[in-house]
Amino acid sequence: MTTTTDEVRDLLATHCFTRDMPDEYVERVVAHAELVGVPAGTTLFREGQPAQQLYLLVEGRVSIEMHVPGRGEQVVDTVEPCETVGWSWLVPPYRWFFDARATTDVRTVQVDAAALRALAEDDPGFGYALMRRVAAVMLERMQAARLRLADVYGNPQP
Amino acid sequence: MTAASAATAAPASSALDLREFRVTQRRQDTRDTATLSLAPLSGHPLDFSAGQFTMVYAFGVGEVPLSISGDPAGGKPLLHTIRDVGGVTHTLTRLRRGDVVGIRGPYGHGWDVTDGRGGDVVLVAGGIGLAPLRPALLQILAHRSEYKRVVLLYGTRTPEDVLYADELEHWRGRFDLEVEVTVDYGPPQWRGKVGLVTSLIPRAGFDPSTTLALVCGPEAMMRYVGSALVDRGVPRRRIRLSMERAMDCGVGLCGHCQLRELFVCVDGPVFGYDRLERLLWLREV
């Protein structure tokens, strides 16, 4: 399912990743984006595959999973509306480190990663705006991962 | 209240009196947590406010402070949800119907949930921290029309560690209560959210300007929840946290639960974030 540019523009105007981006920059993103519907259970990408898209989640839930031999797929995080899926598209070798699966019906704005990288190379202002947003997502996820490593709900040691 | 003033406010001896309660029901909540339903051997049921705690004595083993997890409406059984983390709690979680324990209290200042009337209330619980918040939620639900939006955000370790799972399911089915649950680690069959409880705060449906926030969980979690609620716009004085410390006497005499200038047993266990924020970021206090 794909939709019009106007609809994508409206969605990006309110999405947490792009809503405070200058209009001029948003327009550049819109030019390389499409709104996609993904049925529940669909795998968006798998670990090791080329990271070719930035996903800006609009509706539904996506689980970030890792296959652990003997334990199956382990859900390490979930992504909710107004959040983004993945940043491996920004940094070489541009391959996903985890699997991503729609656990509900999902609507997501998909942005072509190669085009975003090219835009960032051409215009450092755009690149910085993009990097700040990706860095914020990375920081939030890293802090969350560290807090979970601390296992604060675990049994206190005697 | 300072240590000195706590001492001057030494309670009457009756505040230290031990009453005997019989276990009338035991429910295994999770692999390491059980809820005991208790009835007094004589006299009236225990009156308490949501957020208060008692000192529970396992005869011959020892005494621990435990938050009350039951309904604060009068005449109900006394409920304690207990996690097996040490010698006394290990004994308590293995009691059976008919066994007797000693109870002192109730002690401390509770949530004062009526301060939230006319506005939104958000309850943020982590792990076993849902137990002290349950009485507050039951009180709010019993007077539901007096509050606007009510939101429960609950984070725990795994789906197997979710406390009061049946009740959460029931609450989630209500039209006048928003319930969000997240876990740190999710197996493939888990369809809910995986992530920190703080991640639920930005999207939860409450108006920060009218919100009373009640928070209970591990201290590390409460530090970040407090920050996230402030970031969302909830005034510090409208954020309340329930602290856990090694309460011993329960009445502000022994100082074992001292948190710098505060006695958790008598000044708390529920404190305003405006009072507690600075202390939460001090190490080894």
Side-chain angles (χ1 to χ4, degrees):
Chain A
M1 179 188 71
T2 57
T3 50
T4 66
T5 301
D6 286 345
E7 190 170 5
V8 171
R9 184 179 295 111
D10 290 346
L11 289 168
L12 294 190
T14 57
H15 195 279
C16 301
F17 189 78
T18 45
R19 65 187 172 199
D20 63 347
M21 213 177 221
D23 292 345
E24 175 198 354
Y25 292 167
V26 173
E27 277 306 312
R28 296 183 198 175
V29 177
V30 169
H32 300 282
E34 63 175 347
L35 180 63
V36 177
V38 181
T42 304
T43 297
L44 274 65
F45 52 78
R46 285 195 184 280
E47 180 183 355
Q49 289 180 339
Q52 296 171 327
Q53 308 281 350
L54 161 65
Y55 298 87
L56 305 174
L57 203 60
V58 176
E59 284 178 15
R61 174 177 288 150
V62 171
S63 63
I64 309 299
E65 302 177 350
M66 182 171 57
H67 182 80
V68 180
R71 289 164 56 194
E73 310 298 331
Q74 300 296 303
V75 182
V76 296
D77 207 348
T78 50
V79 181
E80 307 284 318
C82 225
E83 295 181 336
T84 65
V85 181
W87 55 75
S88 300
W89 54 272
L90 186 62
V91 184
Y94 311 122
R95 292 194 178 278
W96 296 118
F97 281 83
F98 295 97
D99 299 348
R101 184 171 54 88
T103 53
T104 67
D105 289 344
V106 159
R107 291 175 79 220
T108 178
V109 174
Q110 287 185 185
V111 191
D112 181 83
L116 278 180
R117 293 195 298 265
L119 288 168
E121 288 288 340
D122 289 347
D123 181 351
F126 176 85
Y128 180 61
L130 187 67
M131 272 305 298
R132 275 183 54 197
R133 284 158 181 80
V134 175
V137 174
M138 293 168 75
L139 180 67
E140 186 184 323
R141 301 274 168 81
M142 189 178 69
Q143 287 175 335
R146 285 177 172 172
L147 276 172
R148 285 159 64 191
L149 275 176
D151 193 20
V152 294
Y153 302 128
N155 268 327
Q157 296 302 308
Chain B
M1 185 184 293
T2 63
S5 61
T8 57
S13 61
S14 60
L16 291 167
D17 285 351
L18 189 77
R19 294 179 66 193
E20 290 181 318
F21 280 67
R22 188 180 304 283
V23 177
T24 57
Q25 195 177 344
R26 178 193 178 281
R27 185 187 66 222
Q28 189 73 36
D29 293 309
T30 68
R31 63 188 161 73
D32 62 359
T33 303
T35 296
L36 299 181
S37 184
L38 303 162
L41 293 191
S42 62
H44 295 291
L46 200 72
D47 289 327
F48 66 94
S49 301
Q52 284 191 299
F53 70 97
T54 73
M55 298 299 300
V56 182
Y57 186 22
F59 293 118
V61 182
E63 195 181 43
V64 287
L66 292 173
S67 294
I68 302 170
S69 60
D71 190 341
K76 301 287 180 64
L78 176 66
L79 259 57
H80 278 300
T81 299
I82 308 160
R83 190 174 179 200
D84 178 1
V85 292
V88 180
T89 52
H90 183 75
T91 301
L92 291 173
T93 52
R94 277 153 182 77
L95 293 178
R96 290 179 295 186
R97 185 188 297 185
D99 289 338
V100 174
V101 296
I103 300 281
R104 292 193 291 119
Y107 296 127
H109 288 116
W111 297 108
D112 291 332
V113 293
T114 54
D115 289 348
R117 284 187 297 206
D120 296 349
V121 182
V122 58
L123 303 94
V124 187
I128 189 75
L130 183 57
L133 281 168
R134 184 174 178 269
L137 183 57
L138 292 175
Q139 182 176 342
I140 291 166
L141 294 178
H143 303 87
R144 184 63 188 85
S145 61
E146 297 174 8
Y147 302 86
K148 292 182 178 171
R149 284 171 291 190
V150 181
V151 180
L152 172 63
L153 308 177
Y154 177 45
T156 193
R157 198 178 189 196
T158 72
E160 289 73 36
D161 295 308
V162 171
L163 207 53
Y164 313 137
D166 292 344
E167 201 164 27
L168 280 170
E169 196 63 41
H170 169 70
W171 286 336
R172 202 198 282 265
R174 291 179 63 130
F175 293 111
D176 58 357
L177 178 61
E178 178 184 335
V179 178
E180 295 291 340
V181 177
T182 184
V183 297
D184 279 357
Y185 309 98
Q189 63 272 24
W190 173 251
R191 290 288 173 268
K193 182 166 171 51
V194 175
L196 291 177
V197 71
T198 48
S199 68
L200 302 174
I201 291 171
R203 277 181 299 277
F206 61 87
D207 174 2
S209 67
T210 74
T211 289
L212 177 69
L214 313 177
V215 185
C216 189
E219 258 184 59
M221 168 223 142
M222 291 202 291
R223 285 204 302 267
Y224 290 98
V225 167
S227 296
L229 288 166
V230 169
D231 288 347
R232 177 76 193 264
V234 181
R236 285 175 170 78
R237 61 185 168 74
R238 300 284 289 169
I239 301 170
R240 292 175 186 168
L241 284 66
S242 180
M243 293 296 290
E244 184 178 10
R245 277 292 187 276
M247 277 85 94
D248 203 342
C249 70
V251 293
L253 294 174
C254 72
H256 288 179
C257 65
Q258 199 165 353
L259 181 64
R260 201 145 151 166
E261 68 271 26
L262 303 173
F263 276 28
V264 173
C265 66
V266 290
D267 299 325
V270 176
F271 296 93
Y273 188 60
D274 52 346
R275 200 177 182 192
L276 208 59
E277 181 181 17
R278 180 178 52 88
L279 297 176
L280 281 175
W281 292 96
L282 292 179
R283 295 184 182 187
E284 307 302 336
V285 172

